Amino acid sequence: MRGGGGGGGHPGFRGVDIDAQKKLNAAAPRIPHLGRRVVELFRPYTWSLAFTAVLVVVGAGIAVIPPLIVQRIFDDALFPTDGSPPDMPLLWRLVGVMVLLFLISAGLGVLQTWFTSTIGNRVTGDLRVKLFDHLQAMELGFFTRTKTGVIQSRLQNDVGGVSGVLTNTFTSILGNVVTVLASLVAMIIIDWRLTIIAVVLMPILVVVQRRVGQVRARIAGETQESLSELTSITQETLSVSGILLSKSFNRQRAESARYADENRNQVRLQVRRAMSGQGFFAVVQVLMASVPAVIYLVAGYFITGGDAVITAGTVVAFTAVQARLLMPLMGLMRVSLDLQTSAALFARIFEYLDLEPAIRDAPDAIPVEQAPGPLGRIEFRDVVFRYPDAAPDSRATLQGVTFTAEPGQHVAFVGPSGAGKTTVLYLTPRMYEASGGSVLFAGEDVRGLQQESIIDQVGIVSQETYLFHATIRENLRYAKPDATDAELEAACRAANIHHIIEGFELGYDTVVGERGYRLSGGEKQRIAIARVLLKDPPVLLLDEATSALDTVSERVVQEALDAAARGRTTLSIAHRLSTVIAADVIHVVEAGRIVESGTHATLIAADGLYAELAAQQLAASRILEAEASDEPADHPDRRADRPPAEGASRADVAPRVVDVAAEPWVPTPGVPGT
């Protein structure tokens, strides 16, 4: 509703499917003391809200005074009842008062709009930030089980929906109530008999107008669905991934045709919406015009009967006041639905605000610096983990996992997919909460440490590198906002990516594109490594950081990872066993348990699951001969981290066709990149 001061807008014509909205309202969660909590949102703006209410009441009251002045103008100034000529001095005074009232009303309207807009949008902004901040505090598991679109809907659609409620509903209801009451009082003062006639005809107008609104609302619902479909097509096909997919299968014309078909449907609905209810509108217009006509007719009978009370000024003033009564009255009839809708939106928002993070700091939690053990020591003691939404009779993701990683040690985890390796990594910084047992960080149970202080000591490089649609410099400084250019360069040199960045036209100011699509997989990973190096954490977690790369890129990235891991406690998950051969300890995980532990050599000799995985992945002969193999030749033509040597001929750097069967690549323990 719009409002304040009287008019209420055109609520009956809004594009809202009333029945559908009522169903959505009924499906909203039930929140205790919802009204009180909504009122609390306005507490910081109490005085502004009170002043706005005064403006609304005064503005609505002033709005019904001009018709009363019109009566004086007609009966006393223009057409005096004693037959004398027009009283020009009185006419000037009355017209001056009318103009002054219009100026005051306009000024009050501007002030009211500013106050309502400011209060509503500030409360909306406070609510949006509060919700976003609360979601930031939720545990990782919340986001893995909740669709991103649902979260975005709460932040954008629901909070955006209450913006109009916060901005307009209060002032609209107050303004409409004051306008209706003031108009009725003014009509009774002018002539109580004409008031009865106008009030009797008013319900007919309201019923017809409501019917018009319902017809248009149904079409509006279809139009919104069509718009949603157009938006969906746009998001799906014009995103980087969508464009890549359509071009890969040469489906651009098909996608354009699909968009064109839906666009034609949208045009059809828009035309139908514009033309719908035209007959009803004609009836409404006839009825709205009929009320003054009926009043004129009745007034004529009163005057013919010798009633001196009915004058031209009375009729004009009465019809002017009556014309102001319809829209506010219809607006008040929509108050119930508007209040229900706003309550439903607030309920959905408060439902999220009431979510309790599953992982919270204990009241007596201490920072990592105060932990008793050495920084970088990680210990799992009989750890059990089960996802909160897992079936009660399902197998736990981790069952009795026990190991210790000493400071500076490289501990690797290998095993089949779904064995629980990634869960081990994310339990370390307490992104997940162990269901049983203990996870110790620097000699202290992570439940007794401040989570933020744990995260400050940990760097994570995952398989799916996430880069913002920003420059390389901005992506790097996400880890350390105050990093100098020299620090950025040093981190990139260590990650083996500086020379490539320097080769870009804009260098560190190169925009990487959405999710880093303008970079290769190896380049993205090395920027992610540089970002972690810039953070300089004592603990490094590597979640299959090279599994998605080709062999050449893997070798270069692995060298960067080896450099990053030097001197740090490193827990890594390996998809390719060649990347963890040199690890101090390798734990083999199967079905949530550590079934084997040892070095590469001891595990191969044990001929267990590790040896089986090696045989399936690279062929057992290649892994078994790793210790005896010579270091692989460093072919300049295969290096992704530096250009070919100066002066080399094309023949020196031309791609070489290799018979894989004759020249297998065999990793060597202790050699970077193997």
Side-chain angles (χ1 to χ4, degrees):
M1 281 187 303
R2 300 174 115 141
H10 299 275
F13 298 159
R14 294 190 311 176
V16 177
D17 189 330
I18 295 176
D19 293 334
Q21 187 62 59
K22 286 182 177 179
K23 291 179 180 177
L24 288 174
N25 294 346
R30 296 291 177 261
I31 305 296
H33 312 296
L34 180 61
R36 187 176 66 190
R37 296 180 66 177
V38 173
V39 171
E40 285 292 322
L41 297 174
F42 289 88
R43 186 173 295 279
Y45 311 99
T46 302
W47 289 109
S48 297
L49 198 62
F51 185 67
T52 304
V54 172
L55 292 177
V56 171
V57 172
V58 173
I62 290 176
V64 297
I65 296 178
L68 300 177
I69 297 177
V70 168
Q71 184 181 24
R72 291 285 312 280
I73 289 175
F74 271 80
D75 293 343
D76 298 337
L78 288 176
F79 310 106
T81 54
D82 59 1
S84 59
D87 187 344
M88 294 306 297
L90 178 60
L91 182 60
W92 271 103
R93 289 195 298 272
L94 293 174
V95 170
V97 172
M98 282 189 67
V99 172
L100 179 61
L101 288 174
F102 290 146
L103 289 174
I104 294 174
S105 180
L108 291 175
V110 171
L111 277 176
Q112 175 194 321
T113 301
W114 186 86
F115 272 97
T116 55
S117 178
T118 300
I119 295 170
N121 284 290
R122 283 184 178 176
V123 173
T124 302
D126 294 344
L127 192 60
R128 184 181 291 114
V129 171
K130 185 177 181 180
L131 181 58
F132 185 87
D133 188 55
H134 185 71
L135 288 172
Q136 287 283 329
M138 294 301 295
E139 73 280 3
L140 182 62
F142 169 78
F143 298 95
T144 61
R145 64 177 180 268
T146 308
K147 291 183 178 179
T148 303
V150 173
I151 298 174
Q152 290 177 336
S153 177
R154 297 291 169 103
L155 272 171
Q156 297 174 6
N157 300 338
D158 292 350
V159 177
V162 300
S163 176
V165 173
L166 296 173
T167 304
N168 295 322
T169 298
F170 168 74
T171 55
S172 178
I173 293 173
L174 184 60
N176 285 333
V177 169
V178 174
T179 300
V180 169
L181 293 178
S183 298
L184 286 173
V185 170
M187 290 166 63
I188 292 172
I189 292 173
I190 295 171
D191 194 289
W192 64 271
R193 295 165 299 178
L194 296 180
T195 303
I196 294 175
I197 296 172
V199 171
V200 168
L201 294 176
M202 199 64 66
I204 301 175
L205 290 173
V206 173
V207 170
V208 174
Q209 183 133 326
R210 187 171 185 272
R211 174 59 181 163
V212 174
Q214 289 175 337
V215 171
R216 289 173 61 83
R218 280 195 292 269
I219 299 174
E222 295 180 24
T223 305
Q224 288 301 114
E225 290 180 7
S226 177
L227 282 173
S228 298
E229 182 62 25
L230 279 175
T231 302
S232 177
I233 294 174
T234 302
Q235 291 176 340
E236 289 177 353
T237 59
L238 295 186
S239 65
V240 175
S241 301
I243 283 291
L244 183 60
L245 181 65
S246 64
K247 287 184 177 295
S248 299
F249 289 91
N250 199 21
R251 296 284 294 176
Q252 298 98 310
R253 291 184 180 177
E255 295 297 342
S256 295
R258 183 160 70 107
Y259 187 87
D261 288 343
E262 191 57 46
N263 185 62
R264 281 192 291 270
N265 184 44
Q266 175 65 206
V267 171
R268 178 184 62 81
L269 288 170
Q270 291 286 3
V271 173
R272 184 181 167 196
R273 181 179 182 179
M275 295 303 298
S276 66
Q278 290 305 307
F280 286 111
F281 282 123
V283 174
V284 170
Q285 291 172 357
V286 170
L287 288 174
M288 291 181 70
S290 297
V291 173
V294 171
I295 291 173
Y296 298 151
L297 179 63
V298 173
Y301 277 107
F302 285 157
I303 295 172
T304 302
D307 190 340
V309 177
I310 300 294
T311 63
T314 300
V315 174
V316 172
F318 187 90
T319 53
V321 175
Q322 177 272 326
R324 297 188 56 82
L325 187 61
L326 177 63
M327 290 303 143
L329 189 62
M330 293 176 56
L332 290 176
M333 293 187 65
R334 286 294 302 271
V335 167
S336 176
L337 179 62
D338 281 337
L339 292 179
Q340 289 175 14
T341 301
S342 62
L345 291 173
F346 277 116
R348 285 165 54 85
I349 294 169
F350 283 121
E351 181 186 27
Y352 264 31
L353 286 174
D354 290 342
L355 291 173
E356 291 288 341
I359 300 175
R360 307 177 70 173
D361 287 346
D364 57 348
I366 61 174
V368 170
E369 291 76 13
Q370 298 179 14
L375 186 61
R377 190 172 194 271
I378 298 168
E379 185 178 358
F380 276 50
R381 294 179 181 175
D382 200 26
V383 171
V384 177
F385 177 78
R386 184 188 302 274
Y387 285 98
D389 54 352
D393 57 345
S394 63
R395 176 181 60 82
T397 304
L398 294 181
Q399 306 176 68
V401 172
T402 299
F403 71 88
T404 300
E406 298 295 345
Q409 197 174 35
H410 181 188
V411 178
F413 297 86
V414 301
S417 297
K421 304 184 297 295
T422 298
T423 304
V424 171
L425 252 60
Y426 287 103
L427 281 171
T428 300
R430 206 189 173 199
M431 289 189 177
Y432 289 122
E433 189 83 280
S435 306
S438 301
V439 177
L440 279 69
F441 193 97
E444 179 70 35
D445 193 309
V446 293
R447 286 169 288 201
L449 295 173
Q450 296 171 359
Q451 189 181 13
E452 287 188 358
S453 71
I454 301 176
I455 297 297
D456 286 340
Q457 309 299 325
V458 174
I460 302 175
V461 181
S462 63
Q463 177 181 351
E464 297 182 7
T465 299
Y466 190 92
L467 298 180
F468 296 103
H469 183 71
T471 65
I472 295 174
R473 190 187 312 277
E474 290 169 329
N475 273 284
L476 290 170
R477 283 190 171 140
Y478 191 76
K480 188 179 180 182
D482 59 347
T484 64
D485 290 344
E487 289 175 318
L488 297 182
E489 182 176 331
C492 289
R493 286 186 184 278
N496 223 348
I497 189 67
H498 171 73
H499 66 284
I500 292 180
I501 296 175
E502 287 290 285
F504 295 149
E505 182 178 355
L506 298 178
Y508 282 82
D509 292 319
T510 301
V511 177
V512 301
E514 184 179 357
R515 299 182 67 87
Y517 264 99
R518 296 182 63 186
L519 304 176
S520 70
E523 290 166 349
K524 286 192 293 185
Q525 283 290 52
R526 279 179 277 172
I527 288 177
I529 295 169
R531 187 164 58 187
V532 169
L533 289 174
L534 202 59
K535 183 180 180 181
D536 194 24
V539 175
L540 193 62
L541 306 180
L542 307 178
D543 186 6
E544 300 193 31
T546 64
S547 64
L549 304 178
D550 60 84
T551 304
V552 175
S553 296
E554 178 192 16
R555 180 181 176 187
V556 178
V557 171
Q558 189 61 46
E559 288 181 4
L561 288 173
D562 290 342
R566 195 167 295 121
R568 310 175 200 271
T569 304
T570 303
L571 303 186
S572 66
I573 295 174
H575 174 71
R576 295 173 180 170
L577 302 184
S578 58
T579 63
V580 297
I581 290 176
D584 297 299
V585 181
I586 301 173
H587 297 297
V588 184
V589 184
E590 182 181 30
R593 297 179 182 276
I594 295 179
V595 295
E596 292 181 313
S597 297
T599 63
H600 160 71
T602 58
L603 290 173
I604 289 294
D607 197 24
L609 179 58
Y610 183 85
E612 181 182 340
L613 291 172
Q616 293 173 355
Q617 187 178 106
L618 301 174
S621 58
R622 299 182 184 178
I623 297 294
L624 292 172
E625 294 170 4
E627 289 79 6
S629 299
D630 294 329
E631 181 177 345
D634 186 8
H635 298 286
D637 56 305
R638 298 183 186 177
R639 297 287 292 186
D641 62 321
R642 62 174 179 264
E646 293 184 8
S649 66
R650 175 173 293 274
D652 294 330
V653 298
R656 186 166 65 94
V657 178
V658 179
D659 184 348
V660 177
E663 298 187 43
W665 177 77
V666 182
T668 304
V671 177
T674 63

